[in-house]
Amino acid sequence: MASILGFLQLAGAVALLLFGLGLVRDGMVEAFGLRMKLILGAGTRTGLRAFASGLVATLGLQSSTATALLTASFVQREMIATRRAQIVLLGANVGTAMTAVIVSTDITAVAPVLVLLGYGLRRRGTTVTSGVGTALIGVGLMLVSLTLLDQATAPLRASPQMAAFLPMLDQAWPVALAFAAGIALLCSSSLAAVLLIGSLVLPPDLTVVMVLGANLGGAMAPVLAGATLDIAARRVLLGNLTVRAIGCLIALPLAGLAAGALNGMPLAVGPLAVSAHLAFNLALAALIWPFNGLVCRLVAVLMPQDAHAASTAPRWLDAQVLDAPPLALTGARREVLDIGDSVERMLAQTRAAFRKHDPAPLAEVRAIEDQVDRRQQQVKNYLSRLTGDATEAERRQAIDILDYVINLEHIGDIIDRGLSPEVAKKIGLGLRFSGEGFRELDALFLLTQENLRMAQTVFMTRDRDMARRLMEQKVTIRNLERQSAQRHLIRLREGQTESRETSSLHLDLLRDLKRINAHAVSVAHPILQDEGLLIESRLRGS
């Protein structure tokens, strides 16, 4: 019975730690999610900035797994180059090690204050303060969980069975490494595994070995979670796992020396497990960075490109289920989601041409637009053939699907006839925006891609809170567009040559990106209208 109680106490402490981590991640995403995506999406122009963006994003999200999956999704949408993405993940690994240093600091006494402050901020109701409040509650719970971990592992540390087991594990380092990797994979967090290892009294060299295993297991979690992503995204996640595996192979024979060196340091950053975690990831980043291109080529060999032929035929429109409206509507929704992915691909290719000053990505835009036109017509024809057995609610669903696919077709037209020719003009005439102008437009491109992706999620889930956030983003976009236009006029008055040469082009791109966002946001209208959260007019009452 005592053993069962001890195990439950340990499991509960780990669960509280993971719950706190989740609260911090969710709170930071709620408060600063868009800014974090901007950091990752726009902060990778150089290797150093890519490393810093991964580090900062992980400090905010409190999870290198979350950063890895977010980075992989950006690679899938061609918003980040593969080599830069690998450097982002090196920064993310250092970020999670720095998080361990911060959390392991002996500040448990402030945990109640953090929880109280977080509760107060959540009560204020705004998105940012509520998110920050959730994150503070998460940090407070993490600190409490460390105290519980220390209490739960006290019987283990005094146990004669543990005293007999540890020498056996210390003589089988590969087994210890695999054991720690399994713990990290089970927790989906190398941070939680390292903090758990740090709460145990282990021989110094065994501590280092198990920290290596925690790092290896922490890289396995995103590989499994990203199994449904495309080949480019999965290569990034596999590359991160390959890098950590190489690091473990190099460091494992040197674990004893590393433990002695870390114990001999005059200024320790925390328990040995935390110090080893930080030292390993810093050394790994310094070692792998110069050979980043070689790692990418190795991963390409390990995961070759699949032969894939795109089909323009409808995938989900089954005429045989038209007499069953729920099944027909489900198929139409899946088809429209696929069309939305194609439109997002058009926008990604246009942004790639804009950033690289290369017309090659634009060649795909016209072909995709032709497919979008045909497929949206197929969806309209399909829904028009629904039987009269459909209920009023199902007819309204069909209208919502039609509205969204029509808006997607309009977005495709804007990209094909507006954005794409404008970017082609920029490239063909050799025009260059000013540094500030380029960053403003690129940030707006990125926000537009994120809004289109959020619109896809809102269409699929009909989540009211996400629909509301999407509507709020429309205001953000409108303000950014107005501010960029004003700054552009200021640069014109200052006589900047680049601004004068690209004046009409800059304003045209702003206008088209704003129009795309307006069409994307429209998916939230019926959801919020059903909830009574929309007003008929923006005019102020007299």
Side-chain angles (χ1 to χ4, degrees):
M1 181 61 69
S3 300
I4 295 175
L5 289 176
F7 174 78
L8 290 176
Q9 288 176 347
L10 179 60
V14 173
L16 183 62
L17 174 60
L18 294 175
F19 180 67
L21 276 170
L23 284 181
V24 175
R25 179 174 62 251
D26 294 343
M28 296 303 289
V29 168
E30 180 183 351
F32 308 111
L34 191 56
R35 293 183 179 88
M36 290 181 186
K37 290 180 179 180
L38 277 174
I39 288 173
L40 281 176
T44 58
R45 296 190 186 96
T46 66
L48 186 59
R49 291 180 65 176
F51 182 87
S53 66
L55 190 151
V56 171
T58 303
L59 286 175
L61 294 172
Q62 298 287 294
S63 170
S64 59
T65 299
T67 304
L69 291 173
L70 184 58
T71 304
S73 71
F74 282 172
V75 171
Q76 179 169 300
R77 287 176 275 163
E78 299 189 353
M79 296 164 65
I80 301 178
T82 301
R83 291 191 179 188
R84 288 282 187 265
Q86 292 293 352
I87 297 177
V88 169
L89 297 191
L90 291 177
N93 296 338
V94 174
T96 194
M98 293 179 65
T99 299
V101 173
I102 295 169
V103 174
S104 65
T105 306
D106 189 15
I107 53 173
T108 310
V110 304
V113 177
L114 293 177
V115 174
L116 179 62
L117 181 59
Y119 177 76
L121 290 175
R122 277 181 58 84
R123 300 273 294 180
R124 294 194 59 180
T126 65
T127 302
V128 174
T129 55
S130 176
V132 172
T134 301
L136 289 177
I137 292 173
V139 173
L141 293 180
M142 288 172 67
L143 295 175
V144 172
S145 73
L146 293 182
T147 301
L148 295 179
L149 270 177
D150 184 66
Q151 295 173 358
T153 55
L156 287 176
R157 295 193 294 268
S159 166
Q161 290 86 355
M162 181 64 72
F165 174 70
L166 288 180
M168 296 171 55
L169 203 58
D170 195 23
Q171 295 170 9
W173 284 0
V175 176
L177 186 140
F179 179 67
I183 293 175
L185 182 58
L186 184 64
C187 297
S188 293
S189 171
S190 60
L191 173 61
V194 167
L195 293 176
L196 177 59
I197 293 167
S199 67
L200 301 172
V201 178
L202 303 173
D205 49 355
L206 181 58
T207 298
V208 173
V209 170
M210 294 192 71
V211 167
L212 295 178
N215 277 272
L216 187 62
M220 292 177 183
V223 171
L224 297 177
T228 59
L229 298 175
D230 71 5
I231 187 73
R234 284 185 283 126
R235 280 176 176 172
V236 172
L237 300 176
L238 179 62
N240 186 44
L241 176 58
T242 302
V243 164
R244 288 205 182 183
I246 292 172
C248 288
L249 286 175
I250 295 173
L252 186 60
L254 306 174
L257 295 175
L262 291 171
N263 275 329
M265 291 178 61
L267 296 176
V269 295
L272 177 59
V274 173
S275 301
H277 189 37
L278 180 61
F280 174 73
N281 284 288
L282 286 173
L284 194 61
L287 176 66
I288 295 296
W289 196 329
F291 303 101
N292 184 48
L294 185 61
V295 170
C296 293
R297 288 193 292 273
L298 173 62
V299 173
V301 172
L302 295 175
M303 187 178 288
Q305 182 73 46
D306 297 328
H308 177 72
S311 172
T312 61
R315 299 177 58 190
W316 312 109
L317 305 182
D318 186 357
Q320 296 180 0
V321 300
L322 281 170
D323 57 349
L327 295 178
L329 290 172
T330 300
R333 281 187 176 277
R334 297 179 74 178
E335 190 71 28
V336 171
L337 280 172
D338 204 31
I339 294 173
D341 290 340
S342 297
V343 172
E344 187 184 345
R345 171 75 177 175
M346 292 174 64
L347 187 59
Q349 289 296 85
T350 305
R351 180 173 182 252
F354 173 80
R355 286 171 58 87
K356 299 175 183 176
H357 204 69
D358 178 9
L362 298 177
E364 190 180 351
V365 172
R366 171 52 62 89
I368 297 178
E369 164 61 9
D370 291 340
Q371 295 175 15
V372 168
D373 285 344
R374 287 195 296 271
R375 295 177 66 189
Q376 67 92 20
Q377 189 62 47
Q378 290 165 348
V379 171
K380 289 194 287 188
N381 292 339
Y382 181 78
L383 290 176
S384 69
R385 294 160 55 199
L386 274 178
T387 65
D389 296 334
T391 64
E392 182 62 28
E394 289 166 348
R395 292 192 187 96
R396 290 180 61 189
Q397 288 182 44
I399 292 173
D400 290 345
I401 294 171
L402 284 172
D403 285 343
Y404 185 55
V405 78
I406 289 171
N407 277 295
L408 287 176
E409 194 267 337
H410 287 330
I411 292 173
D413 287 342
I414 295 170
I415 296 172
D416 180 47
R417 301 172 189 173
L419 281 182
S420 182
E422 289 155 8
V423 172
K425 178 181 177 181
K426 164 189 176 287
I427 298 169
L429 297 178
L431 300 177
R432 297 284 181 176
F433 293 97
S434 65
E436 290 181 2
F438 178 86
R439 286 191 290 274
E440 291 166 8
L441 288 170
D442 191 48
L444 201 56
F445 258 112
L446 178 59
L447 288 174
T448 303
Q449 284 184 266
E450 286 305 307
N451 281 355
L452 185 54
R453 192 172 182 85
M454 190 184 296
Q456 289 276 90
T457 304
V458 170
F459 174 72
M460 179 174 61
T461 65
R462 295 187 63 82
D463 182 88
R464 187 189 69 175
D465 293 335
M466 185 169 287
R468 189 181 188 116
R469 287 202 296 272
L470 185 60
M471 286 292 293
E472 291 171 349
Q473 285 299 106
K474 183 178 180 180
V475 179
T476 302
I477 292 289
R478 185 167 63 238
N479 291 336
L480 287 175
E481 183 266 342
R482 183 172 60 249
Q483 291 167 7
S484 181
Q486 290 172 349
R487 293 186 187 118
H488 176 71
L489 294 177
I490 291 173
R491 291 191 291 270
L492 281 178
R493 286 198 294 268
E494 292 174 348
Q496 292 190 23
T497 304
E498 297 95 336
S499 297
R500 186 172 61 251
E501 292 176 347
T502 60
S503 180
S504 62
L505 195 58
H506 186 106
L507 297 176
D508 287 345
L509 287 169
L510 287 177
R511 176 204 62 203
D512 286 338
L513 289 170
K514 181 181 176 182
R515 289 170 61 204
I516 290 172
N517 278 283
H519 284 295
V521 168
S522 65
V523 72
H525 290 175
I527 300 171
L528 298 178
Q529 191 144 16
D530 289 345
E531 299 287 340
L533 298 176
L534 285 185
I535 59 175
E536 292 295 328
S537 171
R538 289 174 57 196
L539 289 173
R540 187 188 302 274
S542 58

